[in-house]
Amino acid sequence: MGKLVTLFLLTAAAVAAAWWWLGRPLAVPAVAADPGRIQCMSYTPFRGDETPLNPTTHAEAARIEEDLSKLARLTDCVRTYATDNGLDQVPAIAQRLGIKVLQGLWLGRDRQKNRIQIDTAIALAKRYPDAIAAIVVGNEVLLRGELAAADIAAALHEVKAATRLPVTYADVWEFWLRNRELAAAVDFITIHILPYWEDFPIAADHAAAHVDEIRSRVAAAFPGKEILIGEVGWPSAGRMREGALPSRANQAHVLEEVMARARVKNYRVNLIEAFDQPWKRYLEGTVGGYWGLFSSDAREPKFAWGEPVSDHPRWGWQLALGLGLSVAVFGAAIRAGGGGGIAKAPASVPVGIAAIGLVAGVMAPWALEDVLVESFGAGGWIRGAALAAAAFAAPVVAAMTLAAHERVAMFAAVLGRAPERPPAAIAWVSGLVLVATTVLAIQAALGLVFDPRYRDFTDAQLSAAAVPFAIAMALGGRRGGPRGRAETIAAIVLAGSAVYIVLNEGFANWQALWFGATLTVLAVTIARREDGRKT
């Protein structure tokens, strides 16, 4: 028992060290702290399940005023994108608070809706001339392929003639270079530069330099025209694209550096965006909902400007949860092995239990954090709950199986009739958890093979569920008898998916490498399983 106590203390120390390292604040470029340093921010008021895709959605004026009052401490300018869903109330509130508005109007395929947007924007400009500084006539219409450049130019001329305010059109920078004739219809050019979404994604360390270089390229293409970077930002959560990692620290890093370069070179930038917009996850997956400087529900800032930022701000709670799960792993193993039985077992058994406890203490709390961030919609929450359940159950049942010198039941025995099930309950329960883990892994893997762009890598969740079984089976000895057909097929699917995902995502994407390694571990684990007890 003394050996187990020593191993537990070492495991607890390792879990604590891991969470200290994961939660440590990361330094970001320091800038002067003054309330006006953010030139402008994109503002959309929707919260929770609210979406502008639903025409009945309407943001209340009191909520907009609450939001803009927060933003007024950081900026004196907001950019909007449309005039419906309650956004027509923004200019009046902004005028009272002393905030300028880059008033947006939404253009699309529906000519009737376009007419309403144009007329409303013109009316707002005439009613609130002290608030509206310019009008953004259309946003990424060319990118979506919904109107021709000539249609956009006609709308620009109409709005300009009716308001006499500066007008512009906003789109991804490449589309301005492909439609240079639009420059004659605008007072200034508004380009979007989102390094994360580039065809060849840019890592956070190089994002600000990329923004600077692209702006210079566009400025050279349109001499004499002012260039506004109408959207620049970085997501705080979501899946990697090549070397582009969404995180709080990277978000702070990119925004700080972009603003610093803009000040030095005296050009205008608008950050996207003020508040997280969960509805964008319907269109872009997890990453779409996490571009805000403020969280969606709490409306609290994600970081303090110029100060170190933690990517796991609740790491203290995660450490406590990890230590608790490690205790559960050791306690369940002692109970299953009869205490003294573990002491008499080969040295590999207590070492294996300690290894499982370490994996559980680090990966399971991380898995829970990812589930809370990545789950969206009823289906997403069901899947997230299943992943979390597997992440927390697998270490406990795997440790019990190892300590009891039992095998994990084959898939056929788990899913078969009662007489075909193994006599030991722990063998059947562990087999059931492994079946669930395998099904969840295949679902995630095939999604990343056939429709990968907006899908998350469930790295921590599957690691917490799969690695404990790999440890238990590796240290539990070989089994005799025939290998299951279901296991063979599942292993082939997982291994093949792992190879494809890594090659498709690129070796710079460590999330993909981690996910591929986890799939491989699970594939090897179930492929080498054989029926029967140890001899």
Side-chain angles (χ1 to χ4, degrees), residues 210-221:
H210 173 78
V211 171
D212 204 11
E213 190 273 328
I214 293 299
R215 183 205 166 274
S216 297
R217 188 190 308 182
V218 175

Side-chain angles (χ1 to χ4, degrees), residues 483-502:
R483 179 180 289 109
R485 184 177 301 174
E487 282 87 346
T488 300
I489 294 173
I492 291 172
V493 172
L494 291 170
S497 298
V499 172
Y500 177 85
I501 290 167
V502 169

Side-chain angles (χ1 to χ4, degrees), residues 129-362:
D130 295 333
I132 297 178
I135 301 178
V136 185
V137 182
N139 181 73
E140 297 186 351
V141 187
L142 296 173
L143 172 65
R144 299 191 305 273
E146 294 183 345
L147 291 176
D151 297 318
I152 299 170
L156 284 160
H157 288 306
E158 179 183 353
V159 173
K160 177 68 175 179
T163 65
R164 302 298 178 185
L165 287 174
V167 297
T168 186
Y169 165 69
D171 214 322
V172 177
W173 63 273
E174 294 102 324
F175 285 84
W176 268 106
L177 297 180
R178 298 174 194 171
N179 298 272
R180 302 189 183 202
E181 67 276 14
L182 266 178
V186 301
D187 293 293
F188 59 94
I189 290 169
T190 301
I191 58 174
H192 296 170
I193 311 175
L194 300 173
Y196 173 87
W197 281 126
E198 295 283 20
D199 291 339
F200 298 97
I202 308 298
D205 287 344
H206 306 290
H210 173 78
V211 171
D212 204 11
E213 190 273 328
I214 293 299
R215 183 205 166 274
S216 297
R217 188 190 308 182
V218 175
F222 299 99
K225 285 285 186 182
E226 181 186 3
I227 308 297
L228 166 67
I229 301 178
E231 284 185 2
V232 61
W234 195 267
S236 63
R239 57 109 74 207
M240 286 185 75
R241 298 187 68 236
E242 296 186 14
L245 172 66
S247 73
R248 289 172 178 254
N250 280 347
Q251 183 182 56
H253 180 174
V254 171
L255 297 185
E256 295 271 18
E257 193 173 352
V258 164
M259 290 191 298
R261 286 174 177 261
R263 281 195 298 273
V264 169
K265 297 193 176 182
N266 196 30
Y267 56 78
R268 293 198 296 159
V269 298
N270 173 74
L271 302 186
I272 184 168
E273 57 195 323
F275 298 94
D276 282 344
Q277 293 297 298
W279 66 272
K280 292 183 179 180
R281 298 175 64 172
Y282 287 116
L283 307 175
E284 301 173 358
T286 296
V287 73
Y290 289 96
W291 289 76
L293 279 72
F294 292 77
S295 60
S296 173
D297 294 326
R299 286 341 223 192
E300 293 297 329
K302 297 178 183 177
F303 53 83
W305 294 96
E307 297 182 11
V309 182
S310 172
D311 286 331
H312 299 274
R314 298 179 180 87
W315 71 270
W317 288 102
Q318 290 173 292
L319 168 58
L321 181 60
L323 291 176
L325 187 55
S326 295
V327 170
V329 166
F330 274 84
I334 291 171
R335 182 178 179 83
I342 298 179
K344 297 176 182 178
S348 60
V349 172
V351 170
I353 293 168
I356 292 172
L358 175 59
V359 171
V362 178

Side-chain angles (χ1 to χ4, degrees), residues 437-448:
T437 298
T438 303
V439 170
L440 290 167
I442 289 175
Q443 186 269 342
L446 293 181
L448 283 161

